[in-house]
Amino acid sequence: MMSTLVRPGGFAPYLQVTKHGAKSLLFPGAAEPAWGEAEVNQVSRCRPPFFFLASAPAGTRLAHTDIKIPDFSDYRRPEVLDPNKSSQESSEARRAFSYLLTGATTVVGVYAAKTVVTQFVSSMSASADVLALSQIEIKLGDIPEGKNMTFKWRGKPLFVRHRTEKEIATEEAVNLTELRDPQHDKDRVINPKWVIVLGVCTHLGCVPISNAGDFGGYYCPCHGSHYDASGRIRKGPAPLNLEVPFYEFPDEETVVVG
């Protein structure tokens, strides 16, 4: 704030008239100043004609004392309403309330975040129709011994072979050092009677023919890959054995693939 100090000099009478004139406008019941007739005549001769009109309203606001300060007592805690009482006496109770409110808000926020993340992850998972196609249930009683049946699973051919006792003994007796992709027959089957593999050649993705080839298992006529009755590559350009998908036996007559 900038303050200015001015020496009134000859304007002192006018300033006094202005001051009292403003008070008489603000407070109509205030008493008039007791001036002598000579003072009034002197002021009347020297002042401009518009003096009272211009100067009186300019002094109507003496200060900002007419602004009402709002009362926030309804929003304050009862422990701190008394200005003569130290707030330190109730600080522990108020701090406990703040901690409780913060903790409750944190718990609600964490639960809400967990719900949002769970819903977001669930929205990215496979739908019910896709999950239904991800598994296939096969009745094993429909496959005769020594035969192979082909099923469609996830858009790929699935070979399910019912092996004979002779085929089981033959495949278990194979020397692993002779294999390109060494894998024992017991590591490729859960039940020795059943061989379940994907009917996709590991060379270029062709579909082999079952019960064919030099080893009596599967044969890919496209490039001449021969697989045995366990689905292991024995001859030809294919580098790996036929893939074994995940499957389980709920009972002796049923297998679930996927």
Side-chain angles (χ1 to χ4, degrees):
M1 181 178 64
M2 181 180 293
S3 301
T4 305
L5 182 61
V6 180
R7 183 176 180 181
F11 294 97
Y14 307 123
L15 295 178
Q16 186 177 12
V17 171
T18 304
K19 176 180 178 182
H20 289 281
K23 288 184 65 177
S24 62
L25 290 175
L26 289 174
F27 307 102
E32 294 294 332
W35 292 340
E37 182 179 354
E39 293 175 343
V40 173
N41 294 335
Q42 181 181 1
V43 171
S44 301
R45 289 193 302 270
C46 297
R47 65 173 177 82
F50 55 85
F51 180 79
F52 282 104
L53 180 61
S55 62
T60 56
R61 289 292 297 274
L62 302 179
H64 296 286
T65 56
D66 57 341
I67 299 178
K68 294 183 179 180
I69 300 176
D71 185 11
F72 296 99
S73 299
D74 294 338
Y75 302 96
R76 301 176 63 187
R77 296 179 181 178
E79 297 85 353
V80 294
L81 288 178
D82 189 359
N84 299 322
K85 185 178 179 181
S86 175
S87 61
Q88 296 296 329
E89 299 177 1
S90 60
S91 61
E92 295 295 334
R94 290 185 286 108
R95 189 179 297 113
F97 176 78
S98 299
Y99 289 160
L100 178 63
L101 182 61
T102 303
T105 305
T106 302
V107 171
V108 173
V110 170
Y111 180 79
K114 174 254 183 187
T115 302
V116 171
V117 172
T118 302
Q119 293 294 331
F120 177 74
V121 173
S122 299
S123 66
M124 299 180 65
S125 61
S127 59
D129 56 342
V130 174
L131 293 176
L133 296 175
S134 65
Q135 291 185 337
I136 182 174
E137 183 176 315
I138 302 172
K139 297 297 181 181
L140 300 177
D142 299 334
I143 306 175
E145 187 177 10
K147 298 297 181 179
N148 181 92
M149 290 190 67
T150 303
F151 301 89
K152 185 178 181 180
W153 176 68
R154 295 184 180 179
K156 299 178 182 179
L158 180 70
F159 292 160
V160 180
R161 186 187 188 94
H162 189 178
R163 298 193 300 184
T164 63
E165 293 295 335
K166 181 180 178 180
E167 289 175 334
I168 295 174
T170 301
E171 301 306 329
E172 290 182 351
V174 173
N175 186 2
L176 297 183
T177 59
E178 301 176 358
L179 301 178
R180 181 178 303 170
D181 185 11
Q183 202 171 19
H184 198 278
D185 182 70
K186 294 182 179 180
D187 297 331
R188 295 179 57 82
V189 297
I190 298 177
N191 187 339
K193 293 183 179 181
W194 302 98
V195 172
I196 302 175
V197 294
L198 291 181
V200 179
C201 181
T202 58
H203 180 218
L204 293 176
C206 304
V207 179
I209 301 173
S210 60
N211 298 321
D214 296 345
F215 299 89
Y218 305 94
Y219 171 67
C220 181
C222 299
H223 302 93
S225 296
H226 297 258
Y227 301 88
D228 59 19
S230 184
R232 296 173 295 190
I233 182 63
R234 302 294 295 273
K235 182 181 177 181
L240 301 174
N241 302 330
L242 295 179
E243 181 182 353
V244 178
F246 173 80
Y247 64 91
E248 57 185 355
F249 294 93
D251 52 65
E252 294 181 357
E253 298 297 328
T254 307
V255 62
V256 177
V257 182

